[in-house]
Amino acid sequence: MIRLGLAFALGLGSAPSMAQDLPIFDAHVHYSHDAVKAVPPRQAAKILRDAGVISALVSSSDDTGTQRLKAAAPDIVVPALRPYRKRGEIGTWMHDPTVIDYVEGRLARFEYKALGEFHAYGDDIKTDVLQRMIALAKEHDLLLHAHSDAAAIDLIFEYYPDARVLWAHSGFDRPDEVRATLRRHRALWSDLAYRSDMASDGKVDPQWRAAFEEFPDRFMVGTDTFAPERWYYIGPHADYSRAWLSDLPEGLARKIAYGNAQAMLGLIK
C-alpha cells in the first residue's frame, strides 16, 4: 500500500489539461459492511463525485452496501453482486452451496450488471458452486468479475464460450502474460486495480504500452476499495490514473479511463 501511495504522488502536477478533466469509470469498487460504517453512503457518494468518477462498478460483502450506495448515487453506481455475505469467505465460498441460495435470492430482488468480484483459481471453476454461478451469469446476461489466475479464466470460457469476463487486477500477471490471455479470449477485459507497474513518473511502461496498443478496447482503471480506508484513495487514484493516461494518445486514454468499461457493460447506446 505504501508503494501504491507513493506512485499516486508521482507526476500529478504536470498532467496536461486533458488528463486533469478526464472522466473516470472506476471498474473495481467495494462498499462492504465495515466501509458503510466508516464512510456513510452520502460521504461515499461525495468522494466519488469529487474525484470525477462518473461511474463505478460496485460490489460489497454483503450486498446491502451496494444497494445503499446505489440509493445515494444512482447516476454513478453500476451494481455487481458479490457471492460473499461477510468477510472471510474468499477461500471457502466455492464449496458452500448456501452461497447459491443467497445469490439467487438477490438476483430475484435487484438488478445487477455483473457477478463478482469473486476469487477462484484453477480447478475451483469445476466446483458445483462455480458452475452454478456461471449458469446464472448466462441466464441473467451478467458479466463475471473474476479475481483469478489465467487457468481459471480459460476454464470459465471452456464451460461458457459466450461469457463476458472482467479479469480483476489483470491477474497480477506480467503485461506479456496478460496479452497472451487476452489473445485467447475475445470477450475478456482486464482491470488495472491495485497495480502501479503501468507507469513511473507519469510515463507508461513500454511493455504495458504495447499491451494497451494491441488491445485498446480491453483495459480499464479501478481502485479496489477492499478495506474501508481504501475509500480515501479514490480521489488520489483517479488523479494518478489521469497522470499516467496523459502519456497515451488522447483517444486511447479516454477508452481506458471510461470508454472501455461503458462498452463492456453495455452502457453506450
Side-chain angles (χ1 to χ4, degrees), residues 182-211:
L182 289 172
R183 289 183 193 119
R184 292 197 295 273
H185 307 295
R186 292 185 177 181
L188 176 66
W189 291 263
S190 285
D191 80 40
L192 300 167
Y194 207 68
R195 301 192 67 139
S196 60
D197 56 324
M198 301 85 64
S200 177
D201 291 325
K203 297 297 182 182
V204 175
D205 173 83
Q207 291 188 52
W208 275 112
R209 182 182 294 273

Side-chain angles (χ1 to χ4, degrees), residues 138-211:
K138 184 175 183 178
E139 291 172 19
H140 294 268
D141 189 25
L142 298 172
L143 176 83
L144 290 164
H145 192 184
H147 184 133
S148 302
D149 55 8
I153 296 295
D154 290 342
L155 280 173
I156 290 173
F157 283 104
E158 179 180 328
Y159 286 110
Y160 181 15
D162 294 327
R164 293 178 298 121
V165 180
L166 175 58
W167 196 8
H169 316 287
S170 299
F172 286 117
D173 280 346
R174 300 192 314 264
D176 61 313
E177 295 170 330
V178 175
R179 293 169 72 184
T181 306
L182 289 172
R183 289 183 193 119
R184 292 197 295 273
H185 307 295
R186 292 185 177 181
L188 176 66
W189 291 263
S190 285
D191 80 40
L192 300 167
Y194 207 68
R195 301 192 67 139
S196 60
D197 56 324
M198 301 85 64
S200 177
D201 291 325
K203 297 297 182 182
V204 175
D205 173 83
Q207 291 188 52
W208 275 112
R209 182 182 294 273

